[in-house]
């Protein structure tokens, strides 16, 4: 069973701080990595994706990928209370000739004023 | 914007009933997915489809079936609902086989009593 692991949290950070969310995955052949944000009672929405080793920045968000360590992370700079949500890591995994998205259980982030 | 619409936001069904969950996407996406989401377990893939009349089992297909008669519509069927199928069900679509960025519907919270 290919797995994606995340710390469930809650991760509590003060407003304005950097929030660091981490994810490890078991399938060494995975090629694509996604971060979704899910507010309580809502469906997941894509915030970032990354394919290559290194960093990818989009506004206050930075995704980091290290394929050798099978590790992907999401940094949120200048955290705001509106960032409080569950963050889901998803990994594209090839199985039976098809790509599937495998999700972690998510990390709950709480940004307090 | 991509729109994925699920037919019901909330459903209450009795044990043993046959239940249909409908999902429609309006962006001509090839791929469609059904997930269920439970606390602490994250999103788990039930079934997916890469083409009309095509279906593939995900990680937890037992007790479910699917139908894709038209490209835009993907239905999840609970043949005989049981209380352990009480969950949030999420439909998603993505553009084509090699790209697994997924867009989610609003979710259906199903309660089986």
């Amino acid at each position: 069973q290919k797995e994606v692991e995340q710390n469930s949290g809650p991760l509590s950070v003060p407003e304005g701080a950097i929030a660091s969310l981490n994810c490890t995955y078991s399938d060494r052949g995975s090629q694509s990595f996604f971060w979704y944000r899910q507010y309580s009672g809502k469906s997941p929405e894509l915030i970032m994706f990354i394919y290559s080793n290194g960093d990818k920045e989009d506004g206050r968000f930075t995704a980091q990928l290290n394929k050798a360590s099978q590790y992907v992370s999401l940094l949120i700079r200048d955290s705001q209370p509106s960032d409080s949500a569950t963050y889901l890591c998803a990994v594209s995994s090839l199985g039976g000739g098809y790509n599937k998205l495998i999700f972690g259980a998510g990390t709950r982030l709480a940004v307090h004023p | 914007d991509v729109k994925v619409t699920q037919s019901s936001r909330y459903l209450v069904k009795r044990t043993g009933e046959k239940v249909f969950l409908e999902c429609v996407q309006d962006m001509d996406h090839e791929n469609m997915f059904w997930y269920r989401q439970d606390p602490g377990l994250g999103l788990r893939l039930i079934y997916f489809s890469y083409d009309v009349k095509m279906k593939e089992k995900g990680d937890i297909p037992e007790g479910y079936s699917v139908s894709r008669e038209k490209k835009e519509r993907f239905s999840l069927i609970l043949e005989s609902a049981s209380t352990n199928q009480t969950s949030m069900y999420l439909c998603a679509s993505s553009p084509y086989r090699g790209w697994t960025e997924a867009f989610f519907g609003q979710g259906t919270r199903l309660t089986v009593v």
Side-chain angles (χ1 to χ4, degrees), chain B residues 25 27-33 49-52 68 71 93-98:
Chain B
Q25 50 94 3
M27 286 301 292
D28 201 35
H29 284 178
E30 291 188 5
N31 312 324
M32 297 189 76
F33 308 85
S49 169
Y50 282 106
D51 202 353
V52 175
R68 195 170 181 196
K71 190 174 185 179
S93 72
S94 68
Y96 38 86
R97 185 173 295 194

Side-chain angles (χ1 to χ4, degrees), chain A residues 3-107:
Chain A
E3 294 182 347
V4 178
E5 300 285 344
Q6 295 181 256
N7 188 319
S8 62
L11 174 65
S12 183
V13 300
E15 185 174 357
I18 296 175
S20 177
L21 304 161
N22 304 314
C23 172
T24 58
Y25 59 95
S26 63
D27 181 10
R28 192 167 283 280
S30 298
Q31 295 294 318
S32 309
F33 307 87
F34 303 84
W35 282 100
Y36 284 81
R37 177 176 61 201
Q38 187 175 26
Y39 291 112
S40 180
K42 302 293 185 182
S43 57
E45 56 179 333
L46 181 69
I47 52 174
M48 286 203 73
F49 58 87
I50 186 168
Y51 304 129
S52 304
N53 276 329
D55 295 0
K56 179 182 178 183
E57 188 173 317
D58 184 1
R60 296 188 295 113
F61 299 96
T62 299
Q64 299 174 317
L65 175 61
N66 184 326
K67 288 187 178 180
S69 301
Q70 295 175 243
Y71 177 90
V72 59
S73 64
L74 179 71
L75 301 178
I76 306 174
R77 290 182 299 281
D78 189 23
S79 295
Q80 302 297 309
S82 59
D83 294 326
S84 298
T86 296
Y87 289 81
L88 303 171
C89 173
V91 175
S92 173
S93 182
L94 187 63
Y98 301 101
N99 279 320
K100 296 186 292 185
L101 266 186
I102 309 296
F103 283 83
T107 298

